[in-house]
Amino acid sequence: MTPTDGLQMFLFLAVVLAAAVPLGWWCHRLLDGTWRIPGETWLFRLAGIDPAVGYSGGHYAVAVLCLNGVGIAVVMTLLLLQGVLPGNPQGLPGTSWHLAFNTAVSFATNTNWQSYGGESTLSYLSQALGLTVQNFLSAATGIAVMAAVARGFARSTTTDLGNPWVDITRVTLGLLVPLAAVFALVLVWQGVPQTWGPSVTAQPLASGEQVIAVGPAASQIAIKQLGTNGGGFFNVNSAHPFENPTPLTNFLQCLALIAIPAGLALTWGRLVADRRHGRAVLLVMTLLLVTALGSAWWSETRPVAGLAGLNAEPVNLEGKEVRFGIGPSVTWLVATTAASNGSVNAMHASMQPVTTLVGMALMQVGEVVFGGVGSGVYGLVLYLLVTVFVAGLMVGRSPELLGKRIEAREMKWTAVALLGPSAAILLGTWLACAVGSTSIANPGASGFSEVLYALSSAAGNNGSAFAGLNANTPFWNVLLGVAMLIGRYSVLVPVLILAGSLAAKPRRAADAGTMPAHGPLFILLVAAVIVLVGALTFLPALVLGPVLAALGSPS
Amino acid sequence: MKPVSVDVARVLRDSLRRLAPQAHLRNPVMAITWLGAAFTSLLWLTALAGHGSESPAFVGQISVWLWFTVWFAGLAEAMAEGRGRAHAEHLRGAKQALSARRVSEARVDAPVTAVEATALVPGDLVVVRAGEVIPADGEAVSGIASVDESAVTGESAPVIRASGGDRSAVTGGTRVLSDHLIIRITAAPGDGFIDRMIALVEGAKRQKTPNEIALTILLAAMTLVLLLAVVTLGPYAAFVGERTGTSGTIGLATLVALLVCLIPTTIGGLLPAIGIAGIDRLHRANVITRSGRAVEAAGDVGVLLLDKTGTITLGNRQASAFLPAPGVTEEDLARAAQIASLADETPEGRSIVVLAKERFNLRSEAPAGAVVVPFTALSRMSGLDGAGLCLRKGATAAVAAWVVDQGGTMPAAVTAAAEGAARGGATPLVVTDGPRVLGVVVLKDIVKGGIRERFADLRRMGITTVMITGDNAQTAAAIAAEAGVDDFRAQVTPEDKLRLIREYQAGGRLVAMAGDGTNDAPALAQADVAVAMHAGTQAAKEAGNLVDLDSNPTKLIEIVRIGKQLLMTRGALTTFSLTNDIAKYFVIIPAALAGVAPALGGFNPLGLGSPQSAILAAVIVNALLIPLLIPLALRGVAWRPASASQVLGRNLLIYGLGGLLAPFPLIWAVDRLVVLAHLA
């Protein structure tokens, strides 16, 4: 590791944590209704929403499912019909049904897996009206659900978890739109295109002509980073010089993809009226991120076996943008798999095995190390429940978290939420190995990693790709689409039911006999439980993928 | 309590009966283990027939050890039940075929019909005379008698049971020693106190407690996750093997072995035993519960409501000082007080005699021909006349009025001393000889020895202690300060108790209390953990969820300890079970995948003999952990009062880190043995 790399990494973490404080404060003001959007009353009246009506856990889930369901239908329609719709200067045809399904699900679930190549497959209208709208809504959905879950802890003997329409509206208009607007302008200033004009044709020095794709990119890239979406405007995502033109945009995009999840950890603490707990959650995430970053960095900066004996500095730059180098590439990789962003600025298949293991593990534990906006925190709540359940017993109390007793009903839905994505990854990988192997480009253990990575990315709602997999086939599009749906809703619906169950209970007062939900022991314990549960579930699979690759299997 | 011996043959028989599949239907972890054992048995048969890649010797040994795992789990449960049953048999001795004499009305000379005790229904009246056994639970409606309740309580001293008041409840199976009682039966046949106790002890009626259900769900989820991980490993390995050209696969017996080692068999096997043992520990403390639920709730208690009298202080006030009037020596006062109290059989009177003896070695005899003046509600004094003495002792106001009546005056110094004692929470008794006032005897509540330390322990565990008393605030404050309780409520009526409990519950605390009177019943019913005194009324016993056979309210603290220990044991063994898995992965995964990826087979930091011996060693260690930990499950983990963070830190170190590290040396040692014995 060079000193510059270390400094950059430290600076990055410092800026993330510093940004988390005001973001956490602001989101809390939005979600607890202290600050209202100017004119929102008028907006709600127009839409026929009574902001005073509180939803129960089940109703909240139904509302969110309806919103996302309509979103999927709209995006599918746009993609299938884009050939005859306006905003299509390249004259691209409508997509296949399976690609439309996969892409619509992908953006509505905040996964943003891309089976398509952006500039060569989707019209400007599809990108702007379909994908970008979902980028905002899926992010707002995650944050709203987190707020509802927080209310389950904060409120006593009630069924009222808040109003999803109010939450989603306030988050979208009060947080995501303003931030994205400013960020888009910064990106335009740094050279990212924002135009409705057609691709540009250039005359290179060599013979022939080169078509240079442009479009309304800046506006989409801003929200793709901020909303932990990750679906790029261009096929190669943030490795593309128009999507990520300068070191400054690289730093800002990397910051943007993780800042809101970090802030939301603090918002969570404020919402449940225990700010020390909020800081503890942020520190759990930070601890795991630093560990992941350290391991990835170590593996990428080790001498590469393939370059041994050459009269050159053994730097592993294959698959990385030389504009950024090892440091920013590794930071991005860890950040994008930790937060469920999925945008990439380097090819993950080219990374060292330990790095890919780190990335996969971060996705497989359910995207809870920062994770998706909102979904990271409510996913982490599942691990908090498991932790306090076992640890709470060890202090001789029947378990409770933040004053709410954890009983059979809570454990049942926690189990469903933890099992759903894991089952999708493990069984999906099995199915893919049996049926979809023709799409696999890499040989041996790497080929297995490719499959495992794709399913982990889909079920974790991350969306980053390992590269090498040709996923645009009916089998893969449907498999990954289903995995994304399971990954999103087998967690989202149970946590809302859980929150409803918790809201109905009285909140117990804490005393010296209560296990504190903060402090070093709690932080270490939660981190250990995340690692342990992840390891127990995925270690055998990881051994056959990246671990085997690291041991140098014939490939 | 008599020592009880466990029927070893029956325990073994019961444990073998638990090898049947239906014994594990409610326990998903052991159900999977049973299936694994059965499946490997079939594999062994096919291996004998020459199918499969694994040798029959290897598969057969795996199968045997999986059956051992199932058996050990059954053994743990049977042992816990065996201990409980021994206790129950002892009780059942009291419940031989009983006959009863039914009467039609509550008169001792009413016509009598002889019936079987089992034919009695609630509402029946029976008469029980000296030497007879009470046929069923009931309530005395007429008569007073001494009753030997040692069959239930283990306490040999007889107790008084009388109609009306707070001592009217009687228990079936106990023996009337003197006089007679007419009893209204309150329990249906087979549902009496002893029946319920036996059923609970034997585990026949043992329902899973809420926390046990929640934990079972968590364990089932872990089992399912690991099942997925192992089931998919086979095809993954085949896929990788095919693509890397080794064409290796994983044997089915190896996969089953891996699965059983990974699923939380230790806690899964010991979970029922832990619950039964917790209730058994409670019974050994002479506390009976109707369900395990109350034991769990005891661990969660945040507030203890404690009656002052009998719980914090000894039952009665005791003389603690003599404050003589001017011109009187302390010894003269002591002598007069002792003589005045000789005929006073109340504990207060006894304590005055004892104090005078201790302080001045006085052993006064009653003067010949003296006449005892008994205490009356009207005079509010007692004393002794004769031999030139006219001694009276009593409350300040009553004695002052009497002295004035006798032509004397109440010295100001005595009045001041009496008021001073009252301010300090004590009760002053003024002693006078005719008109000559001799001084004040101070009666004080005596705080039980060691109670202050126990309250300090409770405070460390985050439990608030609240003393409730009918005394005035001044007296209460003094006792509260001396005993070191966190809070007190004075001049409390039964309605106040109920209100107080609701207040604490509204503040999110769980409240425990002990009570015995009928007027305690509403508060007992409201409290989360309610310990009724066995000597108390039937109403109190019905309202409470625990009954203390020793009728010792301080037992509440013991009950909290047992509740906490039960939960801690569950948590500790769950943690141990889960952290164990890391070591098992470490050993089995490389061994299992050796054929698929030779690079992994080379990963053998423990230096185990061969992939087969490694897998076998892991399975053996996994099985043996259950019997190794049965004593811990039955005894409960070590417990000392400390804050939640300290307890957690300690248990994590022992059971978390211990669970992570312990399997390595164990597996290594068993692997050596397996290699030496040429088992693999």
Side-chain angles (χ1 to χ4, degrees):
Chain A
M1 188 197 295
T2 65
T4 329
D5 283 348
L7 192 67
Q8 277 183 353
M9 178 176 154
F10 177 78
L11 187 69
F12 171 69
L13 279 173
V15 175
V16 167
L17 294 180
V21 176
L23 280 169
W25 171 79
W26 179 243
C27 290
H28 173 248
R29 282 175 67 90
L30 277 176
L31 289 168
D32 84 342
T34 328
W35 194 84
R36 297 178 179 205
I37 314 282
E40 65 168 31
T41 323
W42 175 82
L43 206 60
F44 291 143
R45 197 173 305 146
L46 196 72
I49 295 164
D50 179 358
V53 172
Y55 280 51
S56 70
H59 284 147
Y60 207 107
V62 169
V64 166
L65 288 175
C66 286
L67 178 71
N68 290 174
V70 169
I72 291 172
V74 168
V75 174
M76 273 190 79
T77 314
L78 277 174
L79 295 182
L80 290 171
L81 299 180
Q82 69 174 10
V84 295
L85 290 172
N88 184 9
Q90 301 308 118
L92 296 166
T95 66
S96 65
W97 66 269
H98 51 86
L99 181 60
F101 166 74
N102 182 285
T103 307
V105 166
S106 168
F107 279 75
T109 56
N110 199 256
T111 312
N112 311 70
W113 170 270
Q114 290 166 285
S115 274
Y116 60 89
E119 63 273 38
S120 59
T121 320
L122 300 188
S123 73
Y124 292 171
L125 185 79
S126 298
Q127 295 246 25
L129 204 59
L131 307 191
T132 304
V133 168
Q134 290 307 314
N135 275 348
F136 280 99
L137 288 183
S138 64
T141 300
I143 299 177
V145 170
M146 181 201 87
V149 174
R151 290 177 193 128
F153 283 97
R155 295 178 179 178
S156 278
T157 53
T158 178
T159 55
D160 176 5
L161 294 183
N163 187 311
W165 311 117
V166 172
D167 290 338
I168 289 171
T169 307
R170 285 189 184 149
V171 167
T172 309
L173 298 182
L175 177 76
L176 298 175
V177 168
L179 276 181
V182 173
F183 192 34
L185 287 175
V186 172
L187 291 175
V188 169
W189 163 54
Q190 286 293 308
V192 176
Q194 176 73 12
T195 173
W196 286 84
S199 300
V200 180
T201 309
Q203 212 66 59
L205 290 175
S207 58
E209 63 177 27
Q210 187 182 5
V211 179
I212 299 170
V214 292
S219 57
Q220 191 186 323
I221 293 160
I223 188 61
K224 110 177 175 196
Q225 296 301 98
L226 287 166
T228 61
N229 291 293
F233 190 88
F234 301 105
N235 191 23
V236 293
N237 213 303
S238 282
H240 193 290
F242 280 177
E243 190 142 342
N244 188 8
T246 66
L248 180 64
T249 59
N250 190 68
F251 183 82
L252 289 177
Q253 288 186 18
C254 204
L255 173 67
L257 74 83
I258 207 162
I260 295 182
L264 286 172
L266 298 179
T267 306
W268 166 260
R270 287 173 181 271
L271 284 171
V272 299
D274 187 346
R275 288 172 62 186
R276 280 185 303 182
H277 170 66
R279 286 194 289 272
V281 167
L282 182 58
L283 285 173
V284 169
M285 294 173 165
T286 309
L287 178 66
L288 290 171
L289 183 80
V290 168
T291 312
L293 210 47
S295 318
W297 215 304
W298 171 80
S299 87
E300 288 306 318
T301 47
R302 272 161 50 88
V304 184
L307 299 178
L310 289 181
N311 187 14
E313 208 184 333
V315 180
N316 175 28
L317 275 173
E318 195 221 27
K320 297 187 184 74
E321 261 290 293
V322 280
R323 290 184 295 139
F324 305 131
I326 291 179
S329 300
V330 173
T331 309
W332 187 298
L333 179 141
V334 172
T336 198
T337 47
S340 91
N341 186 283
S343 63
V344 294
N345 75 346
M347 290 304 106
H348 291 187
S350 300
M351 293 290 179
Q352 293 300 301
V354 174
T355 314
T356 56
L357 184 134
V358 164
M360 274 196 237
L362 286 169
M363 296 187 288
Q364 286 162 344
V365 293
E367 289 294 359
V368 295
V369 182
F370 295 94
V373 284
S375 61
V377 173
Y378 71 66
L380 188 74
V381 169
L382 300 170
Y383 286 100
L384 295 182
L385 289 171
V386 172
T387 307
V388 299
F389 191 86
V390 178
L393 281 177
M394 269 197 287
V395 306
R397 280 277 179 108
S398 59
E400 63 184 70
L401 177 61
L402 300 169
K404 295 296 179 111
R405 289 188 72 163
I406 311 306
E407 293 167 296
R409 192 171 148 81
E410 286 74 36
M411 248 19 252
K412 187 170 74 189
W413 290 108
T414 303
V416 170
L418 283 175
L419 268 170
S422 300
I425 295 171
L426 291 172
L427 295 176
T429 303
W430 182 3
L431 197 62
C433 287
V435 180
S437 59
T438 49
S439 292
I440 301 165
N442 285 310
S446 290
F448 180 70
S449 294
E450 207 173 292
V451 179
L452 186 62
Y453 193 103
L455 267 304
S456 303
S457 174
N461 295 139
N462 180 285
S464 66
F466 196 56
L469 183 73
N470 171 25
N472 191 11
T473 66
F475 170 78
W476 278 98
N477 275 332
V478 172
L479 177 71
L480 294 178
V482 170
M484 288 185 255
L485 287 172
I486 295 174
R488 180 74 163 181
Y489 299 107
S490 75
V491 179
L492 186 148
V493 174
V495 292
L496 280 172
I497 297 174
L498 236 160
S501 163
L502 291 172
K505 299 179 183 208
R507 195 166 185 182
R508 263 206 246 173
D511 55 41
T514 316
M515 192 192 128
H518 54 82
L521 191 60
F522 176 78
I523 293 169
L524 281 174
L525 199 55
V526 175
V529 166
I530 294 173
V531 172
L532 185 69
V533 171
L536 290 185
T537 316
F538 294 105
L539 198 66
L542 288 172
V543 163
L544 283 171
V547 174
L548 199 52
L551 291 174
S553 78
S555 59
Chain B
M1 175 162 298
K2 286 179 209 158
V4 287
S5 62
V6 175
D7 182 349
V8 177
R10 170 128 191 230
V11 165
L12 285 176
R13 223 164 40 237
D14 280 356
S15 67
L16 287 173
R17 198 173 298 139
R18 285 190 169 80
L19 286 174
Q22 65 269 23
H24 303 287
L25 287 178
R26 287 169 70 212
N27 186 340
V29 179
M30 292 324 292
I32 293 283
T33 310
W34 191 94
L35 284 175
F39 183 65
T40 45
S41 300
L42 290 177
L43 279 182
W44 177 66
L45 291 178
T46 58
L48 281 179
H51 299 286
S53 56
E54 294 153 309
S55 74
F58 175 71
V59 179
Q61 286 185 76
I62 294 282
S63 179
V64 166
W65 282 103
L66 295 188
W67 283 118
F68 265 117
T69 313
V70 177
W71 179 62
F72 287 147
L75 185 67
E77 197 174 344
M79 274 175 74
E81 279 187 18
R83 279 164 43 123
R85 192 180 308 102
H87 191 162
E89 293 299 337
H90 168 67
L91 291 173
R92 212 191 297 274
K95 223 181 135 53
Q96 304 305 338
L98 294 174
S99 62
R101 282 185 290 160
R102 191 160 59 195
V103 290
S104 52
E105 51 185 312
R107 279 188 300 116
V108 77
D109 52 352
V112 164
T113 338
V115 294
E116 286 292 306
T118 49
L120 292 171
V121 295
D124 280 353
L125 292 173
V126 294
V127 61
V128 187
R129 294 177 194 281
E132 294 176 354
V133 173
I134 295 173
D137 288 6
E139 196 170 1
V141 292
S142 161
I144 176 164
S146 59
V147 179
D148 171 12
E149 295 198 337
S150 61
V152 180
T153 63
E155 180 63 53
S156 55
V159 294
I160 301 298
R161 290 285 175 256
S163 62
D166 287 350
R167 299 286 179 271
S168 61
V170 294
T171 309
T174 59
R175 183 179 298 272
V176 173
L177 294 178
S178 70
D179 308 288
H180 73 271
L181 286 174
I182 294 179
I183 295 162
R184 179 184 293 118
I185 301 300
T186 54
D191 193 31
F193 193 66
I194 291 193
D195 300 288
R196 282 205 299 249
M197 194 160 155
I198 292 172
L200 196 77
V201 167
E202 288 194 323
K205 279 196 181 164
R206 216 178 67 84
Q207 298 287 314
K208 276 190 182 171
T209 59
N211 174 262
E212 220 175 336
I213 295 172
L215 182 55
T216 306
I217 293 173
L218 179 68
L219 296 179
M222 291 308 303
T223 306
L224 208 53
V225 161
L226 293 164
L227 183 68
L228 279 173
V230 172
V231 162
T232 51
L233 183 60
Y236 293 174
F239 177 81
V240 171
E242 191 188 320
R243 290 176 74 88
T244 51
T246 59
S247 303
T249 53
I250 309 181
L252 285 174
T254 302
L255 279 177
V256 175
L258 175 62
L259 176 63
V260 173
C261 284
L262 292 179
I263 61 175
T265 44
T266 312
I267 179 68
L270 293 174
L271 188 58
I274 294 170
I276 298 169
I279 291 177
D280 188 50
R281 276 200 297 280
L282 202 63
H283 288 158
R284 272 156 210 275
N286 255 357
V287 177
I288 298 300
T289 167
R290 302 228 183 112
S291 70
R293 199 182 275 257
V295 192
E296 271 174 17
D300 291 347
V301 162
V303 178
L304 283 187
L305 289 191
L306 301 162
D307 272 320
K308 185 202 78 180
T309 308
T311 311
I312 294 172
T313 63
L314 297 171
N316 301 289
R317 285 151 194 255
Q318 298 196 344
S320 66
F322 298 109
L323 306 175
V328 180
T329 64
E330 201 178 342
E331 187 168 354
D332 287 342
L333 171 63
R335 181 175 296 113
Q338 193 181 41
I339 294 169
S341 304
L342 282 174
D344 184 351
E345 286 298 334
T346 63
E348 286 89 352
R350 296 287 93 213
S351 76
I352 293 173
V353 173
V354 169
L355 185 70
K357 190 164 77 187
E358 280 175 358
R359 296 281 295 277
F360 301 104
N361 202 20
L362 294 172
R363 290 166 202 280
S364 313
E365 302 254 327
V371 179
V372 171
V373 180
F375 179 88
T376 67
L378 198 67
S379 68
R380 293 195 289 146
M381 292 188 301
S382 63
L384 182 138
D385 284 342
L389 290 173
C390 187
L391 294 175
R392 292 291 183 279
K393 69 173 163 57
T396 317
V399 173
W402 189 78
V403 166
V404 170
D405 218 33
Q406 298 286 311
T409 54
M410 187 78 173
V414 173
T415 316
E419 280 170 2
R423 255 199 310 282
T427 308
L429 281 184
V430 178
V431 181
T432 184
D433 181 6
R436 181 170 170 248
V437 178
L438 298 172
V440 177
V441 180
V442 180
L443 295 179
K444 257 184 86 173
D445 270 317
I446 303 297
V447 171
K448 284 184 176 174
I451 198 99
R452 204 184 161 83
E453 291 69 37
R454 302 192 82 170
F455 289 159
D457 288 349
L458 289 172
R459 195 169 307 118
R460 262 197 294 282
M461 288 155 35
I463 297 173
T464 309
T465 46
V466 181
M467 182 183 89
I468 42 183
T469 171
D471 290 347
N472 63 47
Q474 216 169 50
T475 312
I479 301 291
E482 193 181 340
V485 292
D486 296 312
D487 197 3
F488 70 93
R489 297 293 164 100
Q491 284 163 332
V492 173
T493 63
E495 297 76 59
D496 289 339
K497 275 192 201 172
L498 185 63
R499 201 164 41 242
L500 191 60
I501 293 174
R502 290 203 173 129
E503 244 169 61
Y504 278 115
Q505 286 173 337
R509 317 287 301 269
L510 256 65
V511 182
M513 71 168 283
D516 56 358
T518 300
N519 57 16
D520 281 334
L524 283 169
Q526 179 71 34
D528 302 285
V529 175
V531 186
M533 301 296 104
H534 183 59
T537 58
Q538 192 65 33
K541 286 202 232 172
E542 290 297 331
N545 42 21
L546 297 153
V547 176
D548 178 25
L549 300 174
D550 298 336
S551 300
N552 169 13
T554 319
K555 195 69 78 59
L556 211 46
I557 299 171
E558 179 78 3
I559 293 169
V560 169
R561 185 185 72 76
I562 291 171
K564 284 199 178 292
Q565 211 183 14
L566 170 71
L567 295 173
M568 278 162 59
T569 308
R570 261 185 216 149
L573 287 178
T574 306
T575 308
F576 184 85
S577 218
L578 294 180
T579 48
N580 259 218
D581 280 1
I582 297 296
K584 292 168 189 164
Y585 263 140
F586 213 67
V587 170
I588 300 185
I589 291 278
L593 291 174
V596 179
L600 279 170
F603 179 79
N604 185 5
L606 287 181
L608 302 177
S610 67
Q612 279 75 26
S613 72
I615 292 166
L616 201 54
V619 172
I620 294 172
V621 167
N622 185 62
L624 289 180
L625 277 175
I626 296 177
L628 283 177
L629 291 170
I630 287 178
L632 183 70
L634 297 186
R635 199 179 60 234
V637 300
W639 179 89
R640 72 173 64 128
S643 75
S645 300
Q646 289 166 318
V647 172
L648 181 62
R650 206 178 97 90
N651 282 337
L652 269 180
L653 204 63
I654 300 175
Y655 299 100
L657 199 61
L660 201 63
L661 301 178
F664 286 106
L666 285 173
I667 290 175
W668 178 84
V670 172
D671 175 79
R672 288 291 97 197
L673 290 175
V674 165
V675 171
L676 281 176
H678 298 288
L679 294 174

